[in-house]
Amino acid sequence: LTTVSDGFLEGTIANGRTGTEMRGFSPGQHALADLEEEQVRAIVAYLRSGIDQDKLVPREIIGTPERGAMLYKQQCASCHGDKDGESFAPWLANPKYLSAVENPYLQATMSMGHGANMRSMIRGGSGIVEMTGRDINDIIAYLRSTLKQ
């Protein structure tokens, strides 16, 4: 538990693990129960409750910003746009937004979805595109790199 982010755990609980018996527990995944977002987060909080939070070291996102820029343009920009274009979804590289959210939140949102409009983008999810964990980390690395520009 100390080596993975909350986002990774939430995504795994919600979407399962391809090629294993671990089915996803988000609605429509054909598991024994359909869990809502809040319930998945509560499970992760429970799993973390026995861990001394002071001993945890924040994990850096290991991603390639250049690859993330390409993926963002191909898979995210049509909805999330860029600073110069209009979009119907929030612009993800907004500095105020990025300063307010942590990487596990971004990982969880991309893998689990958020609300009715942002669907799960992880492989096997119901999103417009399918991304791997590497894809998600590369996109986050790209978004974080925009703060340094």
Side-chain angles (χ1 to χ4, degrees):
L1 288 174
T2 60
T3 62
V4 296
S5 68
D6 287 357
F8 177 85
L9 291 172
E10 291 168 2
T12 300
I13 292 167
N15 299 304
R17 301 278 299 182
T18 304
T20 72
E21 292 298 315
M22 174 66 184
R23 293 182 183 175
F25 285 87
S26 60
Q29 296 285 327
H30 309 292
L32 296 174
D34 287 341
L35 301 177
E36 297 299 324
E37 223 174 296
E38 301 82 36
Q39 293 171 304
V40 171
R41 288 196 175 101
I43 290 170
V44 172
Y46 171 75
L47 293 172
R48 298 267 191 224
S49 66
I51 297 173
D52 185 351
Q53 297 294 322
D54 294 331
K55 292 183 180 178
L56 292 179
V57 177
R59 295 190 63 207
E60 291 295 319
I61 290 290
I62 298 173
T64 308
E66 297 80 14
R67 184 172 181 273
M70 176 198 66
L71 290 168
Y72 184 89
K73 184 176 180 178
Q74 292 173 348
Q75 300 181 355
C76 307
S78 61
C79 295
H80 292 280
D82 59 31
K83 67 180 179 177
D84 299 322
E86 292 188 24
S87 63
F88 65 88
W91 175 46
L92 297 180
N94 179 328
K96 289 182 182 179
Y97 174 73
L98 288 175
S99 67
V101 298
E102 296 195 24
N103 294 337
Y105 174 83
L106 294 170
Q107 288 171 317
T109 301
M110 287 183 213
S111 62
M112 289 178 57
H114 186 272
N117 295 324
M118 175 66 183
R119 296 182 182 144
S120 169
M121 298 298 162
I122 203 148
R123 293 200 187 266
S126 59
I128 296 169
V129 298
E130 290 190 344
M131 293 188 235
T132 65
R134 178 183 175 206
D135 295 341
I136 290 170
N137 285 345
D138 286 347
I139 291 168
I140 293 170
Y142 160 68
L143 293 172
R144 294 293 181 201
S145 77
T146 64
L147 293 174
K148 299 172 188 169
Q149 296 175 358

